[in-house]
Amino acid sequence: MQDIQLGRSDLKVSPICLGTMTFGEQVNEADAHAMLSRALERGVYFWDTAEMYSVPARAETFGATETIIGNWFRANPGKRDQVVLASKVAGPSRGMPWVREGKGMTAADIVASCDASLRRLQTDVIDLYQIHWPERHVPAFGNLYYDPKKETSETTIREQLEALAGLAKAGKIRHVGLSNETPYGVHEFVRLAEQHGLPRVASVQNAYCLINRSWENGLDETCDRLGVSLLAYSPLAFGLLTGKYDESGITGPNAPKEARIAGYESVRKQRWGRPESLVGAKRYNQLARDHRMTPAALALAFCYTKWQVASTIIGVRTMAQLEEDLNVWGTQLSEDLLREIDAIRWELRDPAQ
């Protein structure tokens, strides 16, 4: 795997990123440490976390993932310099008062969250510090429509950038990124950064997979022209694109209870739990089998090879899943297969948008 440059920054990352939101909930600390070590051995040195992790978010596991990663750094002296570490400051509460009491994400919130993450991660600096979701009211996490009547934002984008600039000046962060953003948000963050000499966003972390290609309807042009990279999360659609739910569905006696959608009601209420999402996933999974591929291989190869994607974030529950995901690297999809993928999308669009 060759290094990938993020946006117009000088930050280089591996084209596969280890997502860690399962650590502390579905993955215990010992297993998580083994996965971190194995990922690094195999060249995956770009790791992503967030202050609100583990997922599903609970007060009892708030910050657990960062703590586990920090303990790995402590147990492996000298390895921190081999890792590009990304974390995120949570946006407005979204029903999680244990993350933040206020409804917004003030400049003081950003600084306090960063300081707390640094303590948990047991590091002096975060290489890529991202805003997990906008403070603005935007259609994200499966919500389709923008409604200006619901706007309650308290902090301007410029104020957010100034807070991030202060963290960068203090040496606490190196680069900044966004997540779950819109074309407007990306444009404004870049415009204001260039206008006022503030940190320029290097990347946007948004959902991107076979059943959610909404990135390709506006954000791809925005980020290509502005020089901002996509970090694609949920390439396997929370497991729907592995085929594990094809026969059982996401509920019922034969559904894999250890998996996220089947195991957590809060996840089933999200876009991944929609009946339409499973219908779409099953079409792509069968397409993979028709081409003598596993469903996961098709879904991952799709992300690994798309020009829109700089780095694909994989989330795993077991070491076997980690190895399987990494082994897909290098798989190429034929032009005929890509046309068949596009034909399904034309019919079903983006059911997990």
Side-chain angles (χ1 to χ4, degrees):
M1 291 185 285
Q2 295 183 341
D3 294 342
I4 300 295
Q5 182 176 332
L6 284 192
R8 296 181 184 172
S9 74
D10 60 2
L11 182 62
K12 293 185 177 181
V13 302
S14 52
I16 299 177
C17 173
L18 181 63
T20 61
M21 71 180 188
T22 58
F23 295 180
E25 178 67 42
Q26 293 176 284
V27 180
N28 64 41
E29 183 159 352
D31 289 344
H33 283 191
M35 292 176 189
L36 292 169
S37 297
R38 182 58 176 159
L40 193 57
E41 287 174 3
R42 295 203 56 179
V44 176
Y45 61 85
F46 183 26
W47 300 349
D48 178 71
T49 187
E51 67 170 330
M52 66 159 277
Y53 291 167
S54 303
V55 171
R58 297 186 296 122
E60 295 81 2
T61 58
F62 170 62
T65 302
E66 288 186 326
T67 298
I68 287 171
I69 294 172
N71 290 341
W72 186 91
F73 286 138
R74 184 180 61 190
N76 293 272
K79 294 292 187 181
R80 171 65 184 91
D81 292 340
Q82 298 178 25
V83 173
V84 174
L85 181 62
S87 192
K88 313 181 198 74
V89 52
S93 175
R94 291 181 55 85
M96 296 178 288
W98 57 85
V99 176
R100 184 169 298 120
E101 292 184 1
K103 295 182 179 180
M105 184 186 62
T106 67
D109 289 331
I110 293 172
V111 173
S113 289
C114 182
D115 287 342
S117 288
L118 289 169
R119 288 192 297 271
R120 288 189 291 265
L121 290 164
Q122 301 187 52
T123 187
D124 295 327
V125 63
I126 296 169
D127 299 301
L128 178 66
Y129 198 51
Q130 305 153 103
I131 294 176
H132 205 155
W133 58 88
E135 193 197 54
R136 313 179 322 277
H137 178 76
V138 300
F141 301 111
N143 295 311
L144 296 180
Y145 302 113
Y146 169 68
D147 185 353
K149 296 179 181 178
K150 295 182 179 180
E151 183 58 74
T152 60
S153 181
E154 299 178 355
T155 312
T156 66
I157 289 175
R158 180 174 176 180
E159 289 176 290
Q160 294 169 38
L161 280 171
E162 287 173 342
L164 294 169
L167 291 172
K169 185 176 181 180
K172 297 178 179 181
I173 65 173
R174 292 197 171 106
H175 302 275
V176 301
L178 304 172
S179 186
N180 301 295
E181 258 297 357
T182 67
Y184 168 82
V186 176
H187 271 282
E188 278 298 281
F189 270 94
V190 171
R191 181 183 72 83
L192 291 167
E194 293 179 343
Q195 182 177 346
H196 299 288
L198 297 168
R200 196 181 197 278
V201 295
S203 59
V204 179
Q205 183 178 147
N206 274 30
Y208 184 75
C209 64
L210 287 170
I211 58 172
N212 183 351
R213 294 170 59 181
S214 56
W215 178 271
E216 297 179 43
N217 296 101
L219 268 166
D220 56 351
E221 181 187 8
T222 292
C223 289
D224 181 58
R225 293 187 183 278
L226 295 179
V228 178
S229 293
L230 168 61
L231 307 180
Y233 76 75
S234 294
L236 295 176
F238 270 52
L240 289 176
L241 291 169
T242 67
K244 69 176 70 175
Y245 297 106
D246 284 7
E247 296 298 326
S248 66
I250 61 174
T251 59
N254 296 321
K257 301 303 182 185
E258 72 282 359
R260 273 175 283 181
I261 301 177
Y264 298 97
E265 182 182 7
S266 60
V267 176
R268 292 195 295 276
K269 291 180 178 179
Q270 298 175 26
R271 51 191 158 175
W272 314 111
R274 294 173 186 160
E276 297 87 352
S277 294
L278 180 58
V279 168
K282 290 172 71 172
R283 288 285 298 277
Y284 291 110
N285 295 343
Q286 186 57 50
L287 179 64
R289 298 183 187 103
D290 291 344
H291 286 262
R292 298 182 179 179
M293 302 176 67
T294 66
L298 175 66
L300 289 170
F302 177 79
C303 286
Y304 289 167
T305 57
K306 288 288 282 187
W307 70 262
Q308 290 93 338
V309 179
S311 188
T312 301
I313 303 172
I314 58 171
V316 298
R317 182 174 44 81
T318 67
M319 186 69 78
Q321 290 177 347
L322 175 62
E323 299 286 3
E324 179 184 9
D325 290 0
L326 299 184
N327 288 342
V328 176
W329 180 257
T331 300
Q332 298 296 315
L333 304 180
S334 69
E335 291 298 321
D336 286 342
L337 179 50
L338 290 171
R339 280 191 287 270
E340 291 184 72
I341 288 172
D342 282 346
I344 294 175
R345 189 198 183 207
W346 183 256
E347 179 184 347
L348 301 181
R349 303 302 163 129
D350 298 302
Q353 180 177 349

